[in-house]
Amino acid sequence: MYYKGVYHFFYQHNPYGPLWGNMSWAHAISHDLINWVHLDIALVPNEPYDINGCFSGSTTILPSGEPAILYTGVDANLHQVQNLAFPKNMSDPLLNEWVKWPLNPILSPPDEIDPSFYRDPSTGWMGADGEWRVVIGTQIDHQGAAILYKSKDFRSWNRSLSPLHLSNITTFWECPDFYPVIFNGKSGLDTSVTSVQRKDIRHVLKASFNYQDYYILGKYDPLSDRYDVDADFMKSKGWLRYDYGRFYASKSFYDGDKKRRILWSWVCEGDTAPDAIVKGWSGLQTIPRSIWLSKNEDQLVQWPVKELEKLRTRKVHFENKKLKGGSMIEISGITASQVTKSNLVLIQLFYFKGQTTLHIQNNTADVEITFSFSNLKHAEVLSAEVVDPQILCTQKNATTYGKFGPFGLLVLASKDLTEHTAVFFRVFRIANSFRVLMCADSSRSSLKPFIDKPIYGAFLALDPRYAKISLRTLIDHSIVESFGGEGLACITSRVYPVMAVGEQAHLYAFNNGTQSLSISSLSAWSMKKAQIV
C-alpha cells in the first residue's frame, strides 16, 4: 500500500528458514518502489486463530486514515478464518508495529464451505450505500468463487446472498483481486471508485488457480453488486492471464501519489529444496508493474514502473545492423549475467519498421532494440486460428527455423550456446491477417540437474503491419521477466545457469528465420544497484 509518502510491502515469509512454513507477514518500506528497507515482521502466528499460519490478505485505508490489515489465519483446528490487525502507533510514520484485533476471528467458514478453502480477503471497497465490501476466495459445490461480504465499520461483516462471481469451469480460487480500470488512459483508480465523470470504466476480477493468475473484465453495478462479465474464465480468447510464465498469487494496489495501479506477484523457484537451503532463501517478487486497460479495451497492459529508469547510468548506442536469416550477433561489451541480489538487469526490445532500439550494458542494464522488416508476405501460414501458444512455442522453439522468426534475444548464454535462455517472436499469416507469437524458452538454460526448464508462450494482440512488435526483458540473477507488445503479453521465467555466469554470460540478438531483418537502432544504459537493506 501507499501510505503518507511511503510504500509498504507485506509478504509471506518464514522467519526460520528458506522453505515453506511458519507463515508470517514480513514488512518492508520504500519511497520509490526500487530501494527498500526491511522492518520488523508485522504479523506472526501466535494466537489460537492463526497459530498455524498468518496467510495472505490485504490492506485497506479507512476513512479515518487508519490502515487495516485483513488476513487469513489458520487456527488450531486447521480451519481458515479471517482476522484484522491495526497499527499500534498511528504517529509512527513507518507503521513498524501492528496489533491484532481482540475480537478475532471476525469471519469463519460457512457451513457449506470446506474450511481448508476459505482464504485471501481482498482490499476493501466502499459502495454507494457507504458500506464496505471485500471478497474471499473459495469454492462452492466444486466451483471457484469469490464470496462477497459487507460491513459498515470494517469490523462486523455479513455475507451477501450471492457471491460476486463463480465459475463452473474452475475449482478453488486463491488470492482474488477486484478493482476498476478506466477507458482511454493509463491512470489508475482507487479501489472504491465505481464511476468517473465522462469516462467508462470496467472492473477486473483476478483469481489464482491452476498455478496461473487469470483475470476477466466486466461491468460492476455498485447498487446491486452485480458483476456482468464480458467473457468468463477459460472462455475468453486466449484465456486472459497477467503473465504466461511462472507468476502466481499476485496482488495489486492503488498508488494515490502517482494515480496508478501497481501489480506485484510472487515467483516461486524452479530448482530444488536442497538448493534453497544452500542459498538460504527461496521465492521472490516481480519488479512492480503499472497496469491499465488496453486501447482495444479487451485486455490489460503491464509495464515496469518508471522508477526503474532512475537506475540508468552509462549509455551506448548503434544503428542499422543487418541480421541475416540464420545469424546472430553478440552485443559487444554487454554482459547480461547473473547479478547480486540487489542488482538489476533490464533488456528492452522493440521490433517495428522505423522504430528505435534499446540495449543492455554490463551486469545491469536497460535495453531497447528495434527490428525492421521488408515485408510480411512470405510469413509462414498458421493452419489453425485457435492454437495453444505454449504448445506452439514448444513445437517451434528457438532452434526451429521459420520465415519471420524465431528472432529475439539469447540471454544468460554461454559462449558456445550450451546454456542460453531464448526470448523471441514468430510472425504467422492466417488468411489475410497475421498473428504474432511470443515465446520464452528455458529448455537450454542450465546444465544443472533437477531444474524445471519449461517453454512458455503467448499471442500478442497486435497486427505487425501497423504496430511495433516489442519485447522488454528484465533479468535479475535467476529471474527473466519479458514484456511483449509494450506489455500486451508478459512471460516470467526462472533460470539457473552454471556456465553462463559472471564474465562467461553473453547476450546475443539472433534471427533463426529465413527472412533477413534489420536492427535499425540500439540504445543501452548500464544500471546502478538498487539498495535493499
Side-chain angles (χ1 to χ4, degrees):
M1 66 178 178
Y2 180 79
Y3 183 73
K4 292 186 176 180
V6 178
Y7 295 100
H8 293 260
F9 173 42
F10 302 94
Y11 58 97
Q12 294 280 273
H13 176 59
N14 180 359
Y16 305 107
L19 303 180
W20 193 94
N22 309 296
M23 297 316 297
S24 307
W25 276 46
H27 184 193
I29 59 169
S30 174
H31 291 282
D32 59 7
L33 291 172
I34 302 300
N35 303 292
W36 290 87
V37 176
H38 292 291
L39 300 181
D40 294 338
I41 293 174
L43 300 175
V44 297
N46 59 2
E47 298 289 346
Y49 50 78
D50 64 12
I51 194 65
N52 283 300
C54 298
F55 280 15
S56 291
S58 303
T59 57
T60 301
I61 298 176
L62 305 181
S64 64
E66 183 181 31
I69 287 175
L70 183 57
Y71 73 100
T72 298
V74 183
D75 68 17
N77 296 317
L78 298 181
H79 291 181
Q80 294 172 5
V81 296
Q82 314 311 321
N83 307 296
L84 276 171
F86 299 95
K88 182 177 181 180
N89 181 5
M90 284 291 293
S91 64
D92 174 13
L94 304 183
L95 302 178
N96 201 40
E97 294 184 77
W98 292 76
V99 177
K100 297 173 184 176
W101 183 242
L103 299 182
N104 284 340
I106 60 169
L107 288 170
S108 297
D111 291 340
E112 72 275 20
I113 289 177
D114 187 327
S116 297
F117 298 112
Y118 178 72
R119 58 179 178 263
D120 311 331
S122 71
T123 296
W125 72 95
M126 185 174 285
D129 56 4
E131 294 193 22
W132 288 101
R133 276 92 165 150
V134 298
V135 290
I136 295 172
T138 190
Q139 63 180 18
I140 300 174
D141 296 329
H142 304 290
Q143 301 178 79
I147 304 178
L148 181 66
Y149 286 89
K150 297 175 66 175
S151 172
K152 294 180 179 180
D153 61 3
F154 214 81
R155 290 161 173 80
S156 300
W157 294 84
N158 295 303
R159 181 183 174 186
S160 294
L161 294 176
S162 301
L164 179 70
H165 191 64
L166 79 168
S167 169
N168 59 10
I169 299 178
T170 67
T171 55
F172 173 56
W173 293 353
E174 293 186 277
C175 303
D177 202 5
F178 188 66
Y179 58 89
V181 288
I182 196 168
F183 283 30
N184 300 318
K186 297 181 180 180
S187 297
L189 296 173
D190 182 86
T191 309
S192 291
V193 171
T194 55
S195 64
V196 177
Q197 189 175 12
R198 294 189 297 275
K199 290 277 190 177
D200 289 329
I201 67 171
R202 279 286 185 271
H203 270 75
V204 178
L205 175 62
K206 187 276 297 185
S208 301
F209 57 88
N210 294 347
Y211 306 104
Q212 295 285 343
D213 275 15
Y214 295 86
Y215 70 89
I216 52 178
L217 298 167
K219 187 69 175 178
Y220 171 64
D221 182 349
L223 299 177
S224 65
D225 291 316
R226 181 185 175 95
Y227 183 55
D228 294 318
V229 302
D230 299 342
D232 209 348
F233 288 111
M234 315 301 287
K235 292 184 179 179
S236 59
K237 187 176 181 180
W239 296 354
L240 294 173
R241 302 182 205 170
Y242 282 158
D243 191 295
Y244 293 81
R246 189 181 296 271
F247 183 103
Y248 194 69
S250 62
K251 182 66 191 174
S252 76
F253 73 95
Y254 175 65
D255 176 359
D257 180 48
K258 293 185 170 57
K259 306 297 186 289
R260 60 186 174 176
R261 183 158 290 272
I262 303 296
L263 175 71
W264 280 33
S265 179
W266 171 56
V267 182
C268 66
E269 298 297 324
D271 58 0
T272 66
D275 290 324
I277 292 172
V278 171
K279 289 184 300 186
W281 61 275
S282 66
L284 44 75
Q285 296 286 321
T286 59
I287 296 296
R289 305 174 179 182
S290 295
I291 187 167
W292 64 90
L293 189 64
S294 70
K295 291 181 180 179
N296 291 338
E297 302 168 358
D298 57 357
Q299 70 162 93
L300 298 174
V301 178
Q302 300 165 64
W303 201 245
V305 294
K306 189 173 178 59
E307 285 86 339
L308 277 177
E309 297 176 9
K310 293 164 56 176
L311 299 181
R312 289 175 175 172
T313 56
R314 184 162 56 96
K315 181 182 179 181
V316 297
H317 179 80
F318 67 76
E319 296 180 354
N320 301 322
K321 283 191 178 291
K322 189 173 184 179
L323 199 56
K324 295 181 179 180
S327 70
M328 67 179 185
I329 60 171
E330 182 169 7
I331 311 304
S332 60
I334 294 169
T335 304
S337 65
Q338 289 187 311
V339 296
T340 60
K341 291 181 182 178
S342 62
N343 279 1
L344 172 71
V345 177
L346 240 95
I347 303 174
Q348 200 171 4
L349 302 110
F350 290 93
Y351 302 88
F352 180 55
K353 192 171 184 177
Q355 296 296 328
T356 56
T357 308
L358 298 143
H359 231 123
I360 163 169
Q361 174 71 350
N362 293 326
N363 286 350
T364 59
D366 183 348
V367 184
E368 298 177 11
I369 184 170
T370 302
F371 289 80
S372 58
F373 311 95
S374 57
N375 64 70
L376 293 170
K377 67 180 182 180
H378 298 299
E380 58 191 302
V381 175
L382 187 62
S383 57
E385 183 175 355
V386 180
V387 177
D388 185 324
Q390 185 166 3
I391 293 176
L392 190 57
C393 286
T394 302
Q395 294 172 342
K396 295 179 177 292
N397 60 31
T399 62
T400 304
Y401 278 68
K403 293 185 177 179
F404 284 98
F407 59 90
L409 283 185
L410 302 180
V411 305
L412 297 174
S414 60
K415 188 67 176 178
D416 62 359
L417 299 185
T418 298
E419 289 186 336
H420 65 268
T421 297
V423 186
F424 62 91
F425 298 106
R426 288 177 180 267
V427 179
F428 295 95
R429 181 164 53 88
I430 302 178
N432 295 320
S433 62
F434 294 88
R435 297 201 77 176
V436 178
L437 178 70
M438 175 184 172
C439 305
D441 182 354
S442 64
S443 62
R444 296 172 175 83
S445 61
S446 179
L447 294 178
K448 189 176 182 178
F450 310 116
I451 298 294
D452 186 22
K453 297 181 285 187
I455 299 175
Y456 299 117
F459 285 115
L460 294 184
L462 57 80
D463 189 328
R465 294 171 295 184
Y466 311 115
K468 62 186 177 182
I469 301 174
S470 69
L471 173 67
R472 181 176 183 174
T473 300
L474 315 180
I475 305 169
D476 187 0
H477 207 70
S478 61
I479 185 170
V480 180
E481 294 184 62
S482 300
F483 301 80
E486 295 188 310
L488 288 172
C490 308
I491 302 177
T492 298
S493 303
R494 298 297 302 276
V495 295
Y496 306 88
V498 293
M499 295 175 62
V501 296
E503 295 300 319
Q504 303 306 311
H506 299 266
L507 172 69
Y508 299 93
F510 78 98
N511 176 19
N512 278 347
T514 59
Q515 303 296 309
S516 294
L517 306 169
S518 292
I519 301 176
S520 55
S521 175
L522 183 148
S523 300
W525 294 265
S526 296
M527 303 292 280
K528 296 180 293 185
K529 293 182 180 181
Q531 300 302 308
I532 302 176
V533 296

